[in-house]
Amino acid sequence: MEIVPSTTTDPIRLRAAKIRVVLAALLVRANEIVSVEHLIDELWGENPPRTATTTLQVYISQVRKLLDTAEPDAGRDALITRQPGYMLNIDPAQLDLTVFEELYQKGQAALQRGEHAVAADLLSRALQLWRAPLACDTPHGTLLTRTAVRLAEVRAAALEQRIRAELELGHHQRLIGELHNAVAEMPLREEFHTLLMTALYRAGRQVEALRVFAQLRRDLISELGIEPGHQLQELHRRILAGDSELLHAPAAVPVREPVTVVGTVPGAVAAAAVPHDELEGPPPGLSLDRMPERDRLFVGRADELDRLSGLLHDVPTGGCVVVAGPAGVGKSALALAAAHELSDRFPDGRIFVELGRGAPDGTHPADPAGPLPRLLRQLGVKGPLPSGEERLRRVLRRLTENRRVLLILDGVEDAERVRPLLPETPGSTTLVTCRQVPTGLTDRVLELGMLSHEEARQLIDAAAGRPLPPCDDRTPVREIVALCGGLPLALRAAAARLASRPNWDLETLATRLRDEHRRMSELTLAFPAFRYQLYSGYEQAEPELQRAFRLLGLIPEGPFGPRTAAAVLGEDVVKTGALLDDLARAQLLNPVADGPEHGGTHRLHPLWRLMALECLAAESPQPEAREATSRLAAEFTRQLREAYDGEGPDGPRPEWFGRCQDGLVDVVRRCHEAGLWEQTIRLSDAMTGFLEAMASWDAWDVCHTLALEAAQRQEDLAAEARLLRSLGDLAWQRQRLTTAGEFYERALLTADAAPAAVERGRALVGLADLHLDAGGLEEAAALLSPALEAVGDDPRGRYETHRVLGLLALENSGPETAAAHFGDCLEEAAALRDPCLESYAQRLLDRVRGNVHPPEGWSEVRPGVWRLVPCSG
């Protein structure tokens, strides 16, 4: 590998293998973020060293120095750090890889338009850039291996199509030697054998052409146990028969246009040529069947197939049926399955035409000439096409006249693009697949959703290439399905990841997908097209919707309502509602069928949420994301306080908190990372009651530790005292009594410095609790009187003080005194409107009055916290 500086012709050779790996990985994903995890995997695979992250930083620094040497003005700045990894900004025109792919796509499009000389020139220029396999002097990890395989395939396709274009120009004689080399290099690739046989036959070497076929047939039977494909056998038959049309007609097999099917790229069956003078009508015996094979990984969807079959029955002339759904949900695969099952209903042909935008690797190029010429080429029309939409539609009518044809238009983006393609002849039906239902095509629509758990399991089983353990809730399959959100595209990618690592079990895969920061990279490692397909819907959205989508990724996973969305977007509720509706129509957001009673009106699919966060990090200005995080934290603080105080019917309930707890912790982390100290403190404070009531010790620890640091950064002594005391309570709950004492002592000192009288009292109560636990009744009593004075009228402070006074009275003053304190607790709990504290106070009263007898030797010292009481005497 080498870098050619702009100021000299002498290349800089990179001798260190690891440096070459890092640079190559960044180059093949130029202008995209490559995560740290991804780079570590590329460098060391499954066994990274303990110091992998630090070592990678060293390599990145060395790459920056090399770039600086090559481009002193801007080289170092080209490699930027951007969460969750690094991005190499580079002009695509400076990279042979991107120039190669651009020339290939343009050449392919020219070939499809019938511009053979232009196609041959463009594809020749592309191939001249191909010096050797990708980074052949560099160790390959998963990314480079898959990219090398993909580019080798694109290079082979470019070579094939360049030769095909030159055959169309009559250059068969000079192509024979090159085709012999191609056949030797790729002995099982039938396309090159087809072209070689055609070139030999046109050069008058019929016997040699037949020998090429015979040799290939022997090789296929010997190595794979199969016969050559139908197209090659048909060409063999025509050469045997001495077909004179082969001497002058274009190459026997026209360009095969790739077809998008989720997870696979099957080729369409080649069409027979339609002579130019018969463009105004179908030639005799023309077959209109242009269908790829049924997707071998298509599973389940029985109900959807039944519904689709019903929708396709008796479609009015000029009408269509629409299958709509988000990217990767399996629309194309369902359409293909339906077409194969309904072949008897359409005896005159089934045609599959891919209308979506081209992928970066050129596998699905968009036709710049438009969809109607593309459809006619798919139907077999050769030669120059007439100009004007009406003349093209007349050709389409003549081709489908008196025929019962099913036309599948895959990847439709708008109604105007599809209407000219709808057959106007009785008996023919159009099936459209799209993300967003085009306006005006809403009569017969099937909305395709995610797979059920059992269907998802079947898909993983089929795609993994090995049997999975029996279905059991204890297996990680259910978790893998949940992490992929039931999306077929993601499930295929996950299964491919499993298939590529035979030593992995399901738990290993689930563990790697569990980490939100690496899940997208894990799925992309196994299936490079995954990220592109998932992002395609986002890239087609309007900028305003893209911004809204990015910011909504900040909302924790699960349903959310318009008020939460309005807060994060910084818009009013009315405009937010319109944006949510538009995002749902664009299949970037899912409406929640059960409505607000389940916590919200919309939700982001788990993978779309991760995609939104990636886009936020890559595209949104940092201040915008910071301000949105601040608004979101303020909104959640409001909702949590309303819920805890029993206010607001639309506020979150405890079950909502249970679902969203991890997400709320993530918002606290984001606030802390963004330096939003006040928001970190307030949100953590608002979560305290729920964390305590639900015994969420780990989340309590994380949030209040971050909030404590925020309070120290902000020099807020009152908040610092409160958080120190809270962490003391947490340590007490976990029976880490020494740690609890240290926190309470620190809280007491900080409260005195603040001053913060209530927190001084709460810290004294905590210390009294510790003494009471240890049997130090006098020490506890000495602390409680000043504690009660310090807390003043604070209901929670008074509640906690009377709680400990009551427990102390049970030990030394008798039940009547204890009952008085527990009665005070009941009053304070009612003032707090806290049912948990109220229920606990009532249990204590019932206990001292003899109405309830706790288990012998045990005492409930805090709500739900029991301690073993030493036996007296």
Side-chain angles (χ1 to χ4, degrees), residues 16 19 56-68:
I19 304 299
L56 174 60
Q57 292 170 352
V58 173
Y59 293 157
I60 290 291
S61 176
Q62 292 178 6
V63 170
R64 283 197 173 105
K65 290 178 181 178
L66 288 167
L67 294 172
D68 187 51

Side-chain angles (χ1 to χ4, degrees), residues 35 94 124 302 331 346 379 419 493 570 646 673 735 782 792 811 813 842 865:
S35 71
Q94 292 183 293
S124 293
K331 303 180 292 293
F346 302 99
L379 288 170
R419 282 198 181 95
E673 290 172 359
Q735 275 293 279
E811 300 292 333
S813 301
Q842 187 62 58
V865 181

Side-chain angles (χ1 to χ4, degrees), residues 151 316 560 604 857 873:
L151 287 175
F560 57 85
L604 277 173

Side-chain angles (χ1 to χ4, degrees), residues 23 72 75 244 261 307 309 317 413 458 473 478 571 597 605 619 653 678 800:
L23 181 58
S244 59
V261 179
R307 290 171 57 198
S309 176
T317 300
E413 296 176 7
Q458 293 173 17
D473 287 348
R478 187 172 296 277
E571 303 285 358
E597 63 270 18
H605 185 280
E619 300 175 33
R653 297 172 294 278
E678 186 64 30
E800 293 298 340

Side-chain angles (χ1 to χ4, degrees), residues 17 42 110 115 180 205 245 283 310 326 440 445 529 558 566 615 733 764 782 830 867:
E42 194 69 18
E115 299 173 2
H180 272 299
R205 297 156 68 173
E245 291 187 12
V445 177
C615 293
Q733 295 273 17
L764 289 171
R867 293 282 193 266

Side-chain angles (χ1 to χ4, degrees), residues 18 39-49 52-53 55-56 59:
K18 295 295 188 183
L39 290 168
I40 289 175
D41 186 79
E42 194 69 18
L43 285 162
W44 294 287
E46 296 178 25
N47 300 300
T53 302
T55 306
L56 174 60
Y59 293 157

